[in-house]
């Protein structure tokens, strides 16, 4: 995605979040990855000038809320600082206190006030069958809103849309074989509807909290990011690659050694930086205790199913 977004002119950062703690979180230095590997120096420079608050509304379609839970696991800086001080989270169905027509009224008021300058974070797929009736997200002045109708109304007014998680990016689990709801990812949905608002895909089921936070940071300071975290092949960088090359295969999932290809590992078909960034604040990652199931890939989950059988 090459289009550059006109960024919000927001008040200077008064968050008290230090540049150091923010950089640490967004670059994954806690997990041992250097900033130069994921962002270029002009971006660091932009952060030095001060972070800006940016209105974000978070909409949930067909998902499991795992993407929100993953983001809430951001620890450095604490997620409260990210959501309330770095960005200005104005609407989130899981964490906001308001509900019903007050909540939707607030959402529409924000879209009007910040027209062209706010971002929409979409979590979950958009069901398009039966005119969107499989996912009703609210009622406003006796008008029922489906996720599809809400996005059709709000997306053209937004400056950018973040498709958070594989469901929002590509359809994911709701779009898997057998789906009757017409579950669709944001980019495909926009194509169908002729919506031109730029979209940033942040796949993963769920996405790593750093992927979400750093993408937002990039959006605030540098505009729409190009490929950030999904350029490297898992298998080519796996600590078990040597075992693979020597034909030493794990036979059981609890085996601390050996390549897990025979157990169904989809690392060879998957591109993400999990092997280096790791999960759970750098503690471990899927291949340590199980296998990579290719959760960031456009064909997930059908293309990597059955998970525990070799492809
Ligand atoms: Fe999908 Fe988000 Fe997977 Fe779940 O809601 S990306 S099912 S982890 O959490 O949308
Ligand atoms: Fe490749 Fe998976 Fe084996 Fe690692 S465990 S070397 S990613 S197949
Ligand atoms: Fe997804 Fe594979 Fe990364 Fe695990 S290792 S989070 S399954 S891409």
């Amino acid at each position: 995605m090459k289009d550059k977004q006109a960024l919000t002119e927001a008040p200077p950062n008064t968050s008290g979040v230090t540049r150091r703690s923010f950089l640490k979180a967004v670059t994954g230095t806690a997990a041992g990855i250097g900033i130069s590997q994921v962002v270029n120096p002009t971006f660091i420079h932009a952060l030095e000038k001060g972070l800006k608050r940016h209105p974000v509304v978070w909409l949930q379609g067909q998902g499991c809320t795992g993407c929100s839970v993953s983001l809430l696991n951001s620890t450095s800086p604490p997620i409260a600082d990210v959501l309330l001080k770095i960005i200005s989270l104005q609407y989130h169905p899981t964490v906001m206190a308001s509900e019903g027509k007050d909540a939707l009224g607030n959402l529409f008021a924000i879209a009007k006030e910040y027209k062209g300058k706010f971002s929409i974070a979409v979590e979950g797929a958009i069901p398009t069958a039966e005119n969107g009736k499989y996912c009703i997200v609210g009622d406003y002045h006796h008008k029922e809103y489906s996720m599809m109708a809400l996005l059709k109304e709000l997306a053209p007014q937004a400056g950018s849309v973040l498709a958070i998680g594989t469901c929002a990016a590509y359809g994911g689990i709701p779009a898997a074989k057998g789906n009757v709801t017409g579950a669709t990812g944001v980019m495909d949905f926009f194509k169908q509807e002729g919506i031109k608002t730029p979209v940033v895909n942040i796949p993963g089921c769920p996405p790593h909290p750093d992927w979400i936070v750093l993408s937002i940071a990039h959006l605030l300071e540098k505009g729409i990011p190009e490929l950030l975290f999904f350029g490297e092949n898992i298998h080519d960088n796996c600590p078990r690659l040597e075992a693979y090359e020597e034909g030493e295969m794990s036979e059981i999932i609890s085996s601390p050694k050996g390549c897990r290809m025979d157990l169904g590992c989809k690392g060879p078909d998957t591109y993400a930086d999990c092997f280096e960034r790791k999960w759970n604040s750098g503690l471990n990652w899927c291949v340590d205790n199980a296998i990579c199931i290719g959760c960031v890939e456009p064909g997930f989950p059908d293309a990597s199913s059955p998970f525990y059988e070799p492809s």
Side-chain angles (χ1 to χ4, degrees), residues 45-129:
H45 219 71
L47 279 175
E48 281 170 355
K49 286 193 298 185
L51 304 166
K52 296 171 185 170
R53 293 179 77 226
H54 183 83
V56 175
V57 298
W58 187 290
L59 307 181
Q60 291 174 328
Q62 290 170 292
C64 71
T65 319
C67 305
S68 289
V69 172
S70 183
L71 178 61
L72 292 169
N73 281 331
S74 178
T75 49
S76 176
I79 187 58
D81 284 348
V82 175
L83 297 184
L84 300 171
K85 297 175 179 176
I86 294 169
I87 62 169
S88 172
L89 187 71
Q90 300 279 345
Y91 183 95
H92 190 300
T94 310
V95 300
M96 69 189 177
S98 71
E99 57 183 56
K101 74 172 172 18
D102 290 347
L104 276 185
N106 183 38
L107 179 62
F108 294 132
I110 290 153
K112 199 168 161 202
E113 188 179 344
Y114 294 100
K115 196 166 192 274
K117 293 181 173 178
F118 69 101
S119 296
I120 301 174
V122 176
E123 174 179 11
I126 303 121
T128 56

Side-chain angles (χ1 to χ4, degrees), residues 124-249:
I126 303 121
T128 56
E130 307 295 339
N131 203 24
K133 287 226 163 60
Y134 286 107
C135 184
I136 303 298
V137 291
D139 187 293
Y140 189 61
H141 290 313
H142 308 296
K143 182 182 171 187
E144 207 172 55
Y145 270 91
S146 65
M147 177 62 176
M148 183 171 128
L150 191 63
L151 204 52
K152 254 164 87 167
E153 187 165 325
L154 292 181
Q157 302 176 54
S160 60
V161 174
L162 298 148
I164 297 183
T166 299
C167 302
Y170 308 121
I173 291 173
K177 200 172 159 206
N179 151 52
V180 294
T181 65
T184 308
V186 174
M187 275 189 181
D188 283 347
F189 178 66
F190 282 13
K191 221 176 278 167
Q192 276 169 35
E193 298 294 332
I195 297 169
K196 303 270 182 263
T197 312
V199 179
V200 179
N201 278 342
I202 311 171
C205 191
H208 194 293
D210 289 359
W211 299 341
I212 304 173
V213 175
L214 180 53
S215 298
I216 292 172
H218 197 290
L219 187 67
L220 296 186
E221 295 297 332
K222 297 287 291 171
I224 300 291
E226 299 199 25
L227 196 64
L228 282 180
F229 313 105
F230 309 103
E232 300 276 342
N233 183 263
I234 298 252
H235 174 74
D236 290 347
N237 296 281
C238 179
R240 294 172 187 245
L241 185 62
E242 212 178 301
Y244 165 80
E245 282 165 351
E246 283 164 13
E248 192 194 322
M249 309 307 255

Side-chain angles (χ1 to χ4, degrees), residues 204-206 211 234 270-272 274 279 285-287 291-296:
C205 191
W211 299 341
I234 298 252
T270 307
Y271 291 78
C274 312
W279 281 74
W285 69 302
C286 306
V287 174
I291 55 168
C292 171
I293 58 171
C295 79
V296 295

Side-chain angles (χ1 to χ4, degrees), residues 276-293:
E276 192 164 28
R277 186 173 296 281
K278 305 229 169 133
W279 281 74
N280 306 309
S281 304
L283 193 68
N284 52 22
W285 69 302
C286 306
V287 174
D288 278 345
N289 303 309
I291 55 168
C292 171
I293 58 171

